[in-house]
Amino acid sequence: MTNFVVKTLANAAALAVAIWLLAGITLDDGSSMGRRVLSLILVALIFGLVNFIVKPVVKLLSLPLFVLTLGLFTLVVNAAMLLLTSWLATQFDLSFHVDGFWTAVVGALIISIVSWAVNMVLPDKN
């Protein structure tokens, strides 16, 4: 349970940094700070579920592209997971949105770096 909370907080922090750095990734419907924080945590949960359920299947199906590009295709898969998260957030009436593929690529890169850094700092208990 602790690991799940740590991963969700790391995702939330990484998403917050991407939202802060990129104008094309937004999470603001004009509501209160508390509502935005709750939305951010819910989006982080969706992002975690997408990465847990969908990403392994996509990676398996695109394995030849990973080999062919020496792993650079990971950026495309991560961008697709971010776009899927954006679409799912819209379905759940959350104000998270990603404007296009290239914004998703840069956002996925930022999220990967920040998640790695946050996971290095936060405790990891299984």
Side-chain angles (χ1 to χ4, degrees):
M1 181 68 174
T2 304
N3 194 27
F4 175 74
V5 172
V6 168
K7 297 263 187 223
T8 302
L9 290 175
N11 280 339
L15 286 164
V17 171
I19 291 165
W20 179 61
L21 289 176
L22 298 175
I25 300 178
T26 57
L27 179 73
D28 188 13
D29 58 359
S31 62
S32 68
M33 179 62 92
R35 167 96 171 129
R36 283 185 280 181
V37 169
L38 179 62
S39 293
L40 180 64
I41 292 171
L42 291 173
V43 170
L45 286 170
I46 292 170
F47 188 64
L49 286 173
V50 165
N51 281 327
F52 181 72
I53 297 169
V54 179
K55 189 175 181 179
V57 174
V58 172
K59 286 177 84 172
L60 180 65
L61 294 175
S62 60
L63 186 61
L65 290 172
F66 280 97
V67 173
L68 185 65
T69 63
L70 302 175
L72 288 176
F73 193 69
T74 302
L75 288 173
V76 174
V77 171
N78 289 346
M81 297 305 106
L82 190 57
L83 287 169
L84 179 59
T85 300
S86 174
W87 180 79
L88 287 170
T90 303
Q91 302 307 306
F92 288 106
D93 199 28
L94 298 169
S95 60
F96 180 73
H97 182 70
V98 178
D99 287 335
F101 176 75
W102 292 110
T103 302
V105 169
V106 176
L109 185 59
I110 291 168
I111 290 168
S112 295
I113 292 167
V114 173
S115 288
W116 171 79
V118 170
N119 279 314
M120 294 299 289
V121 174
L122 291 176
D124 186 22
K125 298 186 180 181
N126 292 322

